[in-house]
Amino acid sequence: SQKIEQNSEALNIQEGKTATLTCNYTNYSPAYLQWYRQDPGRGPVFLLLIRENEKEKRKERLKVTFDTTLKQSLFHITASQPADSATYLCVPGSARQLTFGSGTQLTVLP
Amino acid sequence: DVKVTQSSRYLVKRTGEKVFLECVQDMDHENMFWYRQDPGLGLRLIYFSYDVKMKEKGDIPEGYSVSREKKERFSLILESASTNQTSMYLCASSNSSGGPIYGYTFGSGTRLTVV
């Protein structure tokens, strides 16, 4: 069955550093991969999408890579801020349906 | 901005009650989805719909049904609520044209407690 693993349930990082979140997937060949941010008690918010033929995508302080050989995506937040603290969800997709993992809870310490 | 509105933020219902969770989106999206989210389990797809009056089962449809009589509204029905249906319920919508590039737009969620 399809499985998504994000590097850890929780990641703490000092303000100003680069946060790197890892997403690995198995038994799956997604055509694209999305990343979402979720704050406590709220619905996820779409951040960006990377397609299988793209190696890297950037949006402001965010950078995502997608390695279909390793079946892995890395999500980077540069110059992290306490306001970046949230749960980040990696979501591989191949059609109109998405499979969500449990996410990684990021805490940026001031 | 697309807005997905869920009718209630918090609900408390009794075991055996029939429960309706309503979701409305205002951007003419074709696709609508119902998920539940539990700690450690991520979001699990209950039902989805790609068109009016159309519905398909997701990964965990047991104990639930849905209704989509109008394009903008997608209702989740718990026929006879049970305590194991206590959860956060999230509605989402997406556009078919353009594919997934815009992602899903989620509502704020309904935290349902069945006592």
Side-chain angles (χ1 to χ4, degrees), chain A residues 9 32 34 36 38 40-46 48-49 51 89 95-102, chain B residues 9 31 33 35 37 40-43 45 48 50 88 90 96 98 100-104 106-108:
Chain A
E9 287 191 5
Y32 58 87
Q34 299 180 357
Y36 288 76
Q38 187 174 23
R42 315 298 294 185
V45 175
F46 173 70
L48 39 62
L49 174 146
R51 298 185 187 278
L89 304 170
R96 285 184 284 182
Q97 292 180 54
L98 301 180
T99 303
F100 285 82
S102 299
Chain B
R9 289 282 283 135
N31 312 320
F33 309 84
Y35 288 87
Q37 186 174 29
L41 294 178
L43 277 77
L45 181 62
F48 59 99
Y50 292 151
M88 168 72 95
L90 290 159
S96 286
I101 62 171
Y102 303 112
Y104 283 17
F106 281 87
S108 295

Side-chain angles (χ1 to χ4, degrees), chain A residues 61-90:
Chain A
R61 294 184 296 112
L62 308 180
K63 184 179 88 170
V64 171
T65 62
F66 191 12
D67 189 325
T68 55
T69 302
L70 293 178
K71 293 186 180 291
Q72 181 182 81
S73 175
L74 299 179
F75 178 84
H76 307 273
I77 306 176
T78 58
S80 59
Q81 305 165 0
D84 295 326
S85 298
T87 296
Y88 291 87
L89 304 170
C90 156

Side-chain angles (χ1 to χ4, degrees), chain B residues 1-41:
Chain B
D1 280 352
V2 175
K3 200 167 184 182
V4 176
T5 303
Q6 294 185 230
S7 52
S8 305
R9 289 282 283 135
Y10 299 95
L11 270 181
V12 180
K13 296 292 182 181
R14 295 195 178 277
T15 302
E17 275 193 77
K18 190 169 186 176
V19 181
F20 293 86
L21 302 183
E22 305 289 344
C23 175
V24 178
Q25 49 95 2
D26 66 0
M27 281 297 288
D28 204 35
H29 280 179
E30 291 84 5
N31 312 320
M32 297 189 74
F33 309 84
W34 274 106
Y35 288 87
R36 65 178 281 178
Q37 186 174 29
D38 302 287
L41 294 178

